[in-house]
Amino acid sequence: MSEMVELPMMAELLALLFFTPILASFPIAIAWGMHPRPDWARKLPVLSVAGLFVSLCVALYILFNVGELSPEAEPIKYTIQWLPEFNINFVFIFDYLSKLMGALTAVIAFLIGVYGLEYMRDDYRLGWYWFFFNLFTASMLLVVYSDNLLMLLIGWEGLGIASWGLIGHWFRDDDELSYVGILKRKVAGLNMFWSPSTGGWRAISTIRVGDMPMFFAIGALFALTGTLNISEIPWAGLEEKIGVAGVVILLVAFLMGPFTKSAQLPFSEWLMTAMTGPTTVSALLHSATMVAAGTYLFMRLSWYIQPWELHLEGYEYVYVLVLFLGLISSLYAALVATSSLERKVLLAASTMSSLGLMFASAAASYWVGKFAVLVAFWYLITHAFAKASLFLVAGHLIHETHDRFLGGDTEVARKLKWAFVATVIATIFLSGIPPFTAYWVKSGMDGVLHHLEHEFGLLPLALLVTISAIYSGFLGKFLSMNFFKGKKVHLHLHGGGIMSAAYLTMVSMLLVILAAILTSPEEPFSEFVEEGLMASSFAVGMIVLVAYAFGFFKPQIKSPLGQFFGDRMYMMFLNDYIVPKIGWAIAKVVDYGNRLIDFTCHQAIPGMFEIYSYGVRFIQNGKLERYLQIVVGFVMLIVVVAVAAGWIA
């Protein structure tokens, strides 16, 4: 590995990259807190977006000017000394994954920021919104470029606190449009609707479950290896130090953070109710930040662990777990999306399904090699642009129809033609229909999971094909029920030009990726094309096409099973009923324990000392008569015992 410590102006560029978005949000945050609030405060979001644009420029500069953009290129590192005696420093890494992911994050954040200028124009808490939105972006960029796990953890926690602020942005809970679920609906006494304040709390409380073991795992890694730099940790030596069980425990504890961040089972519920936040937040959260952070971190780990070279037993157990957890989570979410009737909840479930496939594909690298990580990574990029576009379209539809549920006919397609065009492109290019963008990437994924036949039979590939078909079906449903066969909606057309420009630019990136795949001879694009030209991949593509058509022409089938899927298989009972019950039971046990301790320490033990003290004072009263009585009593007791024992005849 090559390491370049002295890069021209890199410290200044990194300062612009991370701090400009945050500093640019200060003016509106401060102005919004003034009383009385000045009229010009509503014009300040432009500064926040300008800060995002600066980050975009820096990310693009890094992409094209810092090192070679190739999967085989040596990573370049830049170190800022902090605690060198403990080998803890600010270490930034510029490799194939970080450079592309940084550019992706910056591009999407900027376009969503532009969209938000119009979408959030009349909001009642703009200072709060833009501060946390820009903090969200800066935190993700820190996660992306960090090689040092402690520095990465700072960005990781920044994502958590910003997500809480944004998901619960409409904290007043006074607008039905900001809820998830049908208001006042209950199942078995449990509320089946969630407010913004509840959504924010559910998100951050669930994420804490994974972040704590991840934090301790990072500490253990430092104690065992003496370094926190992902690219320098001697992964091969861990199993020699702590054994197979130790490696499994350590890595699973670490991956609890990515699992909860990326909403894998059983931590999925927070992602669905996170739709209580503004649509701009949903678009950013579901494309290039937050949930993508978990899958990206697992890819980064695999990139440097290189499990395909180690072939160690402990790592194999972990990668088997991630493989099947990803596939099962993906299947679960795909089934949920088929019956979801809320625009953003359907898209949220589809995101969870995509994240599961990313985990599964990256986990297959243990047996397949680096190509599996590249497949997962390019699926992440393709999904990010398509999903961000669909969320922004959903927000535009909600904005114009004042309805968060699926609905719309050909009148909506005519009057919101750019939203319609963007939806057609995004759904077709994401579904895996040949010869569009996701088809080539998913063909690579088909090939990756097909290589697992010797290890697990055809089960992984069969699950992937099933998931792909279901996924394509609900994308067809999304298009149909918003622009063709949905319920009649009343349009409130007012503006929307900036919003349309943002998501049209976003969705056009899918065309750019397609062109790159078809024209570039470089890896991994050449492998994608090679896999896509295989007859088996084309057959899967045809299955996907049929499923998309079925979802389009038959978007809704009412049945008890569909209701079960639409209610997310009642997974919310785990979050809202079972876990709280367990928590209260533990609290009750602890309370009884506290009472026992309190009784023992404050009543029983002092009472015993009091009795002992009274007895001592009774004996030692200072009178000779009392001591003679005691001596005579002991003598008589000894005589009685001796007679009873036969010692005295």
Side-chain angles (χ1 to χ4, degrees):
M1 175 180 296
S2 64
E3 181 172 346
M4 294 178 59
V5 178
E6 295 183 4
L7 294 172
M9 300 291 291
M10 185 52 68
E12 292 79 1
L13 288 173
L14 291 173
L16 289 173
L17 179 70
F18 300 125
F19 294 118
T20 303
I22 299 174
L23 294 175
S25 67
F26 281 3
I28 187 166
I30 295 170
W32 212 254
M34 293 181 180
H35 185 76
R37 184 178 303 132
D39 295 335
W40 46 262
R42 288 196 176 273
K43 299 178 181 179
L44 294 178
V46 175
L47 295 179
S48 296
V49 177
L52 296 172
F53 181 71
V54 172
S55 286
L56 170 60
C57 293
V58 175
L60 292 177
Y61 175 84
I62 292 173
L63 176 66
F64 295 115
N65 294 281
V66 180
E68 181 185 353
L69 186 62
S70 167
E72 303 305 323
E74 292 291 340
I76 294 174
K77 294 198 293 183
Y78 182 78
T79 302
I80 299 175
Q81 298 292 328
W82 182 30
L83 298 172
E85 62 273 21
F86 297 105
N87 197 22
I88 300 176
N89 302 300
F90 295 106
V91 184
F92 303 92
I93 193 164
F94 309 108
D95 58 13
Y96 185 80
L97 298 184
S98 67
K99 289 192 291 185
L100 283 168
M101 189 68 188
L104 172 76
T105 301
V107 167
I108 289 181
F110 172 69
L111 290 175
I112 295 174
V114 171
Y115 177 99
L117 291 175
E118 183 172 10
Y119 186 80
M120 299 296 292
R121 181 175 53 202
D122 300 320
D123 193 76
Y124 61 79
R125 216 161 52 139
L126 286 179
W128 177 281
Y129 169 81
W130 283 108
F131 172 75
F132 279 112
F133 187 91
N134 284 25
L135 176 64
F136 204 41
T137 303
S139 298
M140 184 62 191
L141 290 171
L142 186 59
V143 169
V144 168
Y145 290 109
S146 294
D147 189 36
N148 182 273
L149 284 170
L150 181 60
M151 188 173 69
L152 183 146
L153 193 64
I154 295 171
W156 192 266
E157 294 306 309
L159 285 173
I161 190 65
S163 68
W164 166 80
L166 291 170
I167 293 169
H169 174 73
W170 288 319
F171 71 103
R172 295 176 180 172
D173 298 343
D174 57 356
D175 185 359
E176 189 272 340
L177 280 179
S178 64
Y179 276 66
V180 165
I182 299 174
L183 264 63
K184 298 184 179 180
R185 180 170 178 250
K186 291 178 178 288
V187 171
L190 189 72
N191 287 340
M192 296 293 285
F193 58 94
W194 297 268
S195 65
S197 58
T198 302
W201 167 247
R202 278 177 124 219
I204 198 166
S205 59
T206 304
I207 292 167
R208 288 305 95 191
V209 173
D211 286 357
M212 289 309 297
M214 179 183 177
F215 173 80
F216 287 114
I218 290 174
L221 280 172
F222 182 68
L224 290 167
T225 65
T227 181
L228 287 173
N229 298 339
I230 296 175
S231 62
E232 297 177 5
I233 292 173
W235 299 101
L238 279 180
E239 194 160 307
E240 296 178 7
K241 288 187 174 182
I242 58 177
V244 172
V247 166
V248 172
I249 294 170
L250 180 63
L251 287 184
V252 170
F254 185 91
L255 290 174
M256 284 294 290
F259 288 158
T260 51
K261 266 292 197 288
S262 293
Q264 298 300 280
L265 288 175
F267 311 108
S268 58
E269 261 302 294
W270 77 264
L271 188 62
M272 310 303 173
T273 53
M275 298 304 96
T276 57
T279 302
T280 47
V281 175
S282 304
L284 187 60
L285 185 148
H286 282 256
S287 56
T289 63
M290 191 66 171
V291 296
T295 57
Y296 170 75
L297 182 54
F298 180 63
M299 294 174 204
R300 280 284 304 279
L301 283 177
S302 300
W303 193 263
Y304 289 102
I305 291 175
Q306 297 186 348
W308 54 89
E309 298 287 347
L310 300 182
H311 289 293
L312 294 174
E313 189 177 359
Y315 290 93
E316 182 175 12
Y317 292 147
V318 173
Y319 276 74
V320 169
L321 169 67
V322 177
L323 171 69
F324 284 102
L325 178 63
L327 289 172
I328 294 170
S329 297
S330 183
L331 179 61
Y332 162 82
L335 291 172
V336 166
T338 59
S339 298
S340 296
L341 296 178
E342 295 175 73
R343 292 184 174 107
K344 295 203 305 180
V345 173
L346 184 153
L347 295 177
S350 72
T351 296
M352 178 186 169
S353 183
S354 292
L355 294 168
L357 293 182
M358 294 174 207
F359 271 115
S361 180
S365 65
Y366 180 90
W367 302 273
V368 178
K370 182 183 286 188
F371 178 67
V373 179
L374 291 171
V375 169
F377 184 65
W378 276 100
Y379 183 56
L380 184 158
I381 293 176
T382 302
H383 171 268
F385 283 118
K387 191 55 60 69
S389 303
L390 290 174
F391 264 110
L392 296 185
V393 167
H396 195 179
L397 292 173
I398 294 170
H399 192 68
E400 303 292 4
T401 63
H402 294 179
D403 192 346
R404 56 189 167 87
F405 290 90
L406 293 167
D409 51 18
T410 53
E411 180 188 6
V412 177
R414 288 195 308 270
K415 293 186 177 181
L416 295 175
K417 57 180 178 297
W418 294 124
F420 169 64
V421 169
T423 303
V424 171
I425 296 174
T427 54
I428 290 177
F429 278 60
L430 181 60
S431 61
I433 296 172
F436 303 105
T437 308
Y439 168 73
W440 305 102
V441 183
K442 280 198 167 182
S443 294
M445 196 177 294
D446 292 341
V448 164
L449 295 194
H450 186 264
H451 276 81
L452 302 183
E453 181 179 355
H454 296 298
E455 299 290 335
F456 309 106
L458 291 175
L459 178 60
L461 181 61
L463 285 172
L464 174 61
V465 174
T466 303
I467 293 164
S468 298
I470 298 172
Y471 197 104
S472 179
F474 65 67
L475 287 178
K477 166 189 171 179
F478 184 84
L479 174 64
S480 179
M481 292 195 70
N482 279 313
F483 296 102
F484 288 96
K485 296 191 173 187
K487 63 185 180 182
K488 184 71 176 177
V489 295
H490 181 64
L491 291 172
H492 307 267
L493 299 176
H494 39 276
I498 295 178
M499 291 190 286
S500 300
Y503 56 67
L504 286 173
T505 304
M506 188 87 72
V507 81
S508 68
M509 296 305 298
L510 294 171
L511 299 170
V512 175
I513 298 172
L514 176 61
I517 291 174
L518 296 178
T519 60
S520 175
E522 302 294 328
E523 297 180 354
F525 297 150
S526 57
E527 286 87 347
F528 292 165
V529 173
E530 183 180 342
E531 291 285 349
L533 293 177
M534 295 179 64
S536 57
S537 295
F538 186 75
V540 174
M542 290 298 99
I543 293 173
V544 168
L545 176 60
V546 171
Y548 185 91
F550 182 84
F552 180 84
F553 289 108
K554 194 70 174 177
Q556 190 173 12
I557 301 175
K558 295 183 178 180
S559 69
L561 185 61
Q563 184 68 55
F564 176 64
F565 290 158
D567 284 336
R568 306 195 290 278
M569 304 183 195
Y570 305 111
M571 186 63 70
M572 64 284 299
F573 275 84
L574 177 63
N575 282 68
D576 299 346
Y577 183 78
I578 296 176
V579 170
K581 287 289 186 182
I582 294 173
W584 282 115
I586 293 173
K588 187 169 289 187
V589 170
V590 172
D591 181 56
Y592 283 131
N594 286 336
R595 292 183 184 183
L596 177 61
I597 293 171
D598 182 70
F599 172 78
T600 303
C601 296
H602 294 91
Q603 297 183 46
I605 294 177
M608 291 173 59
F609 275 105
E610 185 176 354
I611 294 172
Y612 172 77
S613 176
Y614 176 79
V616 170
R617 290 195 302 272
F618 177 79
I619 295 172
Q620 296 181 342
N621 61 0
K623 295 181 179 180
L624 182 61
E625 180 184 353
R626 175 62 51 82
Y627 293 121
L628 290 174
Q629 290 175 346
I630 293 173
V631 171
V632 171
F634 269 110
V635 171
M636 293 180 64
L637 178 62
I638 292 171
V639 171
V640 170
V641 170
V643 171
W647 298 340
I648 300 176

